[in-house]
């Protein structure tokens, strides 16, 4: 039995000595990688850690009494996924053009939602030297983006799911403003 293991070890050593060595990666500029998307017609990027998936917009069931930014709920991996209209949520209006076909699914602690996308650009790698804190974005997009990247004349806002969750905009889905709660007097 020792002969078989000895032969195997010798074969492994011969292969290791005669095999090609892998090239080491070139030391280059630090990069950021994520996904290029668009919400309400605004070009954005989002880190891979903030994205569970980008999927075709699933069939939705409308929820009575919710605002127009809530499209409904969808069955998603054995659970219910609330789906928000990205155009209405971030753009405060429906964007012109065809019906949104794609949905960004964000699943973070305390946040499991879908947002419709106006465009899907795929994976992108950008040099960190192009990162900028000077944002031309306004409204909720400015509050939910952590700077962005300059790519030529285009600015890509860096959508941050933590900032989106902290904004509280996904928590209030009612169509009517809530009545103030009065403290009960004993």
């Amino acid at each position: 039995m020792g002969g078989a293991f000895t032969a195997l070890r010798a074969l492994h050593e011969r292969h290791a000595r005669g095999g090609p060595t892998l090239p080491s990666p070139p030391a280059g500029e630090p990069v950021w990688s994520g996904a290029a998307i668009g919400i309400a017609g605004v070009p954005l990027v989002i880190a891979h850690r903030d994205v569970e998936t980008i999927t075709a917009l699933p069939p939705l069931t409308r929820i009575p009494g919710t605002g127009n930014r809530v499209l409904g709920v969808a069955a998603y991996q054995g659970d219910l996924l609330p789906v928000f209209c990205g155009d209405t949520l971030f753009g405060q209006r429906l964007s012109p053009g065809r019906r949104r076909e794609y949905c960004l699914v964000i699943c973070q602690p305390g946040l499991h939602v879908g947002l419709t996308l106006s465009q899907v650009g795929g994976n992108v790698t950008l040099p960190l030297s192009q990162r900028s804190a000077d944002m031309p974005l306004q409204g909720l997009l400015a509050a939910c983006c952590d700077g962005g990247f300059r790519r030529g004349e285009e600015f890509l806002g860096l959508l941050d799911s933590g900032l989106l969750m902290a904004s509280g905009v996904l928590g209030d889905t009612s169509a009517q403003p809530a009545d103030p709660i009065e403290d009960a007097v004993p």
Side-chain angles (χ1 to χ4, degrees):
M1 235 207 239
F5 286 115
T6 304
L8 186 59
R9 189 174 308 121
L11 178 63
H12 177 69
E13 289 172 3
R14 248 191 340 251
H15 178 67
R17 283 192 305 269
T21 59
L22 295 175
S24 54
E29 184 176 3
V31 295
W32 175 92
S33 63
I37 59 172
I39 299 179
V42 177
L44 302 168
V45 291
I46 187 167
H48 286 138
R49 65 177 162 72
D50 286 348
V51 176
E52 181 169 317
T53 190
I54 294 175
T55 185
L57 187 63
L60 299 168
T61 301
R62 184 83 172 121
I63 305 169
T66 58
N68 62 354
R69 67 180 174 261
V70 181
L71 293 178
V73 293
Y76 178 75
Q77 296 184 350
D79 205 354
L80 292 178
L81 178 72
V83 178
F84 289 81
C85 176
D87 297 328
T88 307
L89 186 68
F90 289 103
Q92 300 298 318
R93 61 178 170 72
L94 289 175
S95 291
R98 63 182 185 190
R99 178 181 176 269
R100 301 305 182 211
E101 298 174 358
Y102 292 98
C103 177
L104 167 72
V105 178
I106 300 173
C107 186
Q108 302 291 326
L111 178 68
H112 188 201
V113 298
L115 293 170
T116 59
L117 300 174
S118 58
Q119 67 187 108
V120 178
N123 292 329
V124 65
T125 301
L126 300 166
L128 281 176
S129 62
Q130 293 179 355
R131 180 119 189 233
S132 173
D134 180 30
M135 279 195 304
L137 303 175
Q138 298 173 4
L140 183 60
L141 274 175
C144 294
C145 285
D146 184 19
F149 291 89
R150 293 246 177 241
R151 187 166 59 176
E153 295 296 316
E154 184 179 45
F155 181 81
L156 304 169
L158 176 56
L159 186 63
D160 186 316
S161 67
L163 294 174
L164 179 60
M165 191 172 107
S167 73
V169 71
L170 300 176
D172 181 19
T173 60
S174 67
Q176 303 297 324
D179 292 330
I181 299 174
E182 297 179 20
D183 293 330
V185 180

